[in-house]
Each structure stands twice: as C-alpha cells, then as structure tokens.
C-alpha cells in the first residue's frame, strides 16, 4: 500500500499498479465526454492538484492527455491561478522536447481542464527502475535533451522548479528510441515585469520535490535558471 495518488512505492520505488479495470470502473469520468470534444478512456495519473486521463479528441480521432483540477480546489484562487499559469507557461514553449498544450477550458460543472499531447512512453523514473544501470552514452543523450528543453524555457523567462525523473517522459520513435519530453510546469516561475509570483506563494511555503531541490529553493532565496540546472545535476547523479 502507498499514499493515495502515488505512482511509485516511497520505500523501494516500484511502480504502484491498480488491479486491471478497477480504477477505471470506479472513476465516474471514464466514459464521459468533456465539452463535447474529449471522450475520457482511462485515468493514467494522479497528483496533488488534479487527475490526468487518457482521452480521444473526437473530431480528430487522436489521443490526448487531459489534466483536470480537483473540484475541491476551485474555491482556492491561488491554485486556480497556478493552474492557469501552467497552461500559459506550456503554451509559450515551442520545442520538440517540451510537451505541447493544445487546449484549455472548463467543463460543464466548472472544472478546469488542460489538453496536452498524449505520450505513450515511460517516465524517466520508471525507465531507471526497469533498466538500471543505464549506459553512459544513453545518460548523456537523455540529459542533453532535457537541457535543450530547459534552454528553450529559460530563454522564454520560465524556470521549471520541479524537475525530477517523474516529470521527464521517454518514448520510442521510429528514428529515436529515447525521445525526451519535459512536462509539468505547474509550479513554474515565469520571470516577467508584472510577475505575480509573490501573490501566488504563501510566506514560508516551498513548492517542489525536496530530493531534487536546490538549496536556494529550499531556503526561499529568489531563483533563476541555475536552480533547474542543480536539479538536472541531481538527476544525473
């Protein structure tokens, strides 16, 4: 047993898998159509802010990933703004190694959702668990793509702030067996003149994953792109 919503065991890092069909059968969204466009097929992920589903965009007959904010958060304007910011941050990035956000809106009951390209691969954490140890050339190839995605984000004034293996997807393509996509800009820092980050972060509240967090982020020091590079260094280690 593990914490609700956890994808991996906190003790041994083994994937936590629900019994086949059980999670889908118990989820009322499975089988529903959102905004008359997205037919929800199955839940593929869960986090603190929301759930992620695999769906089909009906008019184009293509798979997408739908991220829905938990209804209990709709009354919290800080979290709602953070969800809006993730969509805004991702939509500003156009790079082959960054996940593409294709749509954003609200369901009939007011729930916020974000549609993204569906990635059928594994996240880097699962890849490491299943294929450890990874060869040095492979590690360099994977890290190079992560850094390329970050370079694009940093040029756009965006600091990710939550880089970890779970937020790096690796899929196999015809001409590239280890193609990387960086995702989850949910706590990204957008550096711009009218930045409202101060109003979105409560005093003393730290966002991120401690294992990969830079000392500056852990001590609430103002961050820049170097904090992301620290996280990549931890991942490489």
């Amino acid at each position: 047993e593990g914490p609700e919503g956890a994808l991996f065991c906190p003790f041994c890092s083994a994937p936590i898998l629900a019994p086949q069909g059980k999670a889908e059968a118990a989820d009322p969204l499975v089988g529903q159509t959102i905004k008359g466009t997205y037919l929800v097929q199955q839940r593929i992920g869960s986090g603190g802010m929301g759930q992620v589903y695999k769906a089909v965009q009906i008019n184009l007959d293509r798979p997408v990933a739908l991220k829905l904010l938990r209804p209990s958060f709709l009354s919290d304007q800080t979290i709602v703004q953070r969800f809006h910011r993730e969509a805004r941050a991702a939509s500003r990035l156009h790079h082959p190694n960054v996940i593409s956000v294709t749509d954003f809106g609200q369901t009939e009951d007011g729930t916020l959702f974000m549609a993204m390209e569906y990635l059928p691969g594994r996240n880097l954490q699962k890849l490491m668990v299943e294929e450890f140890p990874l060869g040095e050339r492979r590690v360099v190839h994977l890290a190079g793509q992560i850094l390329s995605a970050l370079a694009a984000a940093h040029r756009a004034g965006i600091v990710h702030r939550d880089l970890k293996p779970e937020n790096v997807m690796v899929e196999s393509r015809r001409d590239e067996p280890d193609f990387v996509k960086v995702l989850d800009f949910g706590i990204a820092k957008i550096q711009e003149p009218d930045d409202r980050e101060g109003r979105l972060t409560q005093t003393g509240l730290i966002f991120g994953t401690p294992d990969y967090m830079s000392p500056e982020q852990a001590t609430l020091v103002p961050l820049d792109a170097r904090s992301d590079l620290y996280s990549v260094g931890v991942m490489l280690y």
Side-chain angles (χ1 to χ4, degrees):
E1 294 186 5
E4 182 180 357
L7 300 180
F8 297 89
C9 173
F11 305 103
C12 69
S13 299
I16 297 176
L17 304 176
Q20 185 66 31
K22 183 177 179 181
E24 290 81 356
D27 195 315
L29 273 178
V30 173
Q32 299 295 314
T33 301
I34 293 179
K35 299 288 286 185
T37 303
Y38 304 105
L39 175 62
V40 180
Q41 294 184 317
Q42 66 179 112
R43 190 171 70 184
I44 56 176
S46 179
M49 289 177 61
Q51 312 279 4
V52 181
Y53 296 85
K54 179 183 179 183
V56 173
Q57 186 173 349
I58 299 172
N59 58 349
L60 296 178
D61 191 27
R62 69 174 181 183
V64 297
L66 284 181
K67 184 173 185 178
L68 283 84
L69 185 68
R70 294 184 189 276
S72 58
F73 288 140
L74 289 176
S75 60
D76 189 326
Q77 287 304 305
T78 298
I79 294 179
V80 169
Q81 290 178 52
R82 194 172 297 282
F83 195 84
H84 276 275
R85 188 175 62 187
E86 177 178 358
R88 185 158 57 101
S91 67
R92 284 170 53 166
L93 298 177
H94 302 284
H95 188 277
N97 297 120
V98 176
I99 192 170
S100 298
V101 172
T102 57
D103 195 10
F104 176 80
Q106 288 183 290
T107 64
E108 289 75 5
D109 64 359
T111 301
L112 290 166
F113 75 89
M114 188 188 314
M116 302 167 283
E117 61 178 313
Y118 174 70
L119 304 175
R122 298 170 289 176
N123 66 41
L124 187 56
Q125 173 67 25
K126 189 173 183 180
L127 176 68
M128 290 192 296
V129 169
E130 294 178 347
E131 300 189 24
F132 184 85
L134 305 183
E136 292 175 358
R137 288 182 179 272
R138 191 178 187 189
V139 169
V140 169
H141 180 62
L142 291 167
Q145 294 177 79
I146 296 171
L147 291 170
S148 182
L150 286 179
H154 295 162
R155 282 194 299 269
I158 298 172
V159 181
H160 190 287
R161 297 202 303 177
D162 195 23
L163 279 169
K164 55 186 175 181
E166 293 90 336
N167 282 340
V168 176
M169 290 295 293
V170 183
E171 59 178 335
S172 179
R173 298 189 173 186
R174 182 174 58 184
D175 56 345
E176 176 55 79
D178 285 328
F179 191 83
V180 163
K181 288 276 189 177
V182 177
L183 59 147
D184 203 350
F185 283 81
I187 63 171
K189 165 76 171 177
I190 304 176
Q191 298 177 319
E192 54 192 11
D194 62 343
D195 190 1
R196 301 176 183 178
E197 174 64 15
R199 276 177 268 174
L200 291 181
T201 304
Q202 300 174 24
T203 302
L205 188 60
I206 300 173
F207 290 94
T209 303
D211 289 358
Y212 301 92
M213 189 182 293
S214 69
E216 290 78 11
Q217 187 171 352
T219 53
L220 294 176
V221 173
L223 301 179
D224 58 29
R226 291 171 293 181
S227 183
D228 283 345
L229 299 184
Y230 180 96
S231 300
V232 175
V234 177
M235 292 169 62
L236 278 169
Y237 176 80

